[in-house]
Amino acid sequence: MAIFNLKKREIECKVVYYGPGRCGKTTNLEYIFGAYKKQVKGEMVSINTEGDRTLFFDFLPIGLGQIRGCNVRVQLYTVPGQVKYSSTRKLVLRGVDGIVFVADSLEVRREKNMLSLKDLQANLKEYGKSIFKVPLIMQYNKRDLADQGIPLMSIEQMERDLNRQLKAPSFSASAVRGDGVGATLKECLKVTLQSLQREFQWAR
Amino acid sequence: MDIKQRLKALLQEAEIYRTQGLISEAHDKYKSAADLIHSINKLKNKESLLKAVSEKIRALDSTKEKVDKGAETPELSKKAQDLIKNLFAFSENTDADSAALEGAVALAKFGQFDRAVVELNELLQKEAVRVEAAKNILRCHLASATVDEAISQYHEWFSGDQFQPQQLEAVRIYLDEILQKRGLTMDLPSAQTAEAALLEETAVEAETIVEAEEEFLDITSIGITFDKGPRKGKMVEFDVNFQSGNMLSLIISKQEKEVLEHLAEGMKLQDVQFFSPIAIFNGAGVVASKTQIKAGPKQGDYCLDIRIVSS
Ligand SMILES: Nc1nc2c(ncn2[C@@H]2O[C@H](COP(=O)(O)OP(=O)(O)OP(=O)(O)O)[C@@H](O)[C@H]2O)c(=O)[nH]1
Ligand SMILES: [Mg+2]
């Protein structure tokens, strides 16, 4: 739920990284925190449980500077992927403006990806939002593991599993190496701001 | 692939899953590796290999136990709590007191009960949010401590002079209803004489109906009438453990197998009675989610979220 301050010409919006447990959501934010120093506007806050799994959320504020005469600030969040933290996921998703769905390329996580996407759809519906209309980007993460001979799904298969109907922009990534992390975020910010622009007509 | 290479690949895969925290996937691969080792006849170090693998499996089992248990909701640093208050209080343009109330409720939602209670107590000084603050204090006590604590809190308020009689009465009715639903009949002292009560009741009712248009009533329990299965036509009542707006959370014991089987995610419930301290109304609901509780005293039971919809 973006906050507009027309007098100060400021926008603050919310982007949430969603996906199954251990798919690399927190790793995405950690990479952004380290690599985009100029944009990062504060500390990254992580509230974790056993084994560095996210318990509540990660939070990272970034700033994009002036866009069409407006100062744009973005709050990046991750949700906890573990199935049992369902109510926290819902809470963190509230008021979301744009979503990055991080899917795990490991073959053994195929079903978990699909379940998590379904969970996202259900939670959005609770807030009266449609997964087809919300700004959404797909990220196929952990592509680097192919080098070590670990069975990964092909991009085609992941598109079929997860993106056949949604047709969201999608990116391959390796969050540990940082590959594709920036491209994913940039595209997400682009579609999110376009959607807010349509909704609020703030420019000019 | 040569059998030894296959073994090597399996072990490598297992090890990567383990380092990524994919416990059950790692477990499966180590199991397959163990089976494979068994099947190779002339393998040197067979015994020591098997031992190493079963050691890995044991370690994974103990990690799994820790993860399943999860940490108890931790008491967060003040900084993290402040962040939660800022980030998860949503209403815009409300007055300072309502915003403070929302911030305190956000803390409670993330399990930060101690600080939530401190802040809610401060809000008792504010006329406009006093009753809501009091109800949320009771909720915190009920969620984090015992019923006794909620009751003694009420008694404390009763003997004090902070509340107006009708405010206290609204709180009493609220608590009384919750206690009754838990099968407890406590004679909570009432701030009103019978005569005044009659007058107030109508006043309170009018007030709540106004409130209900913007916000949902506090619902303490719901009755669901089943339209099929062995309890067809019967109404079963459930306590509401938590409410946010039109979303009600119920905890249903794992013993209630039929009920749990019947109430599937996404199911529309056409005939639901909602019991609030002041009014009962009929409506419909949707089973928004059904999650098994993985840890704590209610382990194995289910948490059901039901969204109230207009029928
Ligand atoms: N090889 C590889 N490992 C990755 C990649 N991204 C994340 N990981 C690893 O996967 C594990 C889980 O990463 P997290 O970022 O904590 O996953 P998460 O999605 O935040 O997990 P939850 O908080 O439990 O939902 C860690 O061991 C990461 O190092 C990647 O692109 N490649
Ligand atoms: Mg995480």
Side-chain angles (χ1 to χ4, degrees), chain A residues 123-136:
Chain A
N123 280 335
L124 285 170
K125 214 161 138 204
E126 301 288 331
Y127 292 124
K129 289 193 161 106
S130 155
I131 196 169
F132 289 98
K133 295 197 182 125
V134 79
L136 175 70

Side-chain angles (χ1 to χ4, degrees), chain B residues 1-13:
Chain B
M1 205 192 300
D2 167 60
I3 201 159
K4 278 186 198 153
Q5 284 206 319
R6 221 167 82 210
L7 179 60
K8 210 175 134 208
L10 265 177
L11 289 173
Q12 195 198 1
E13 213 181 322

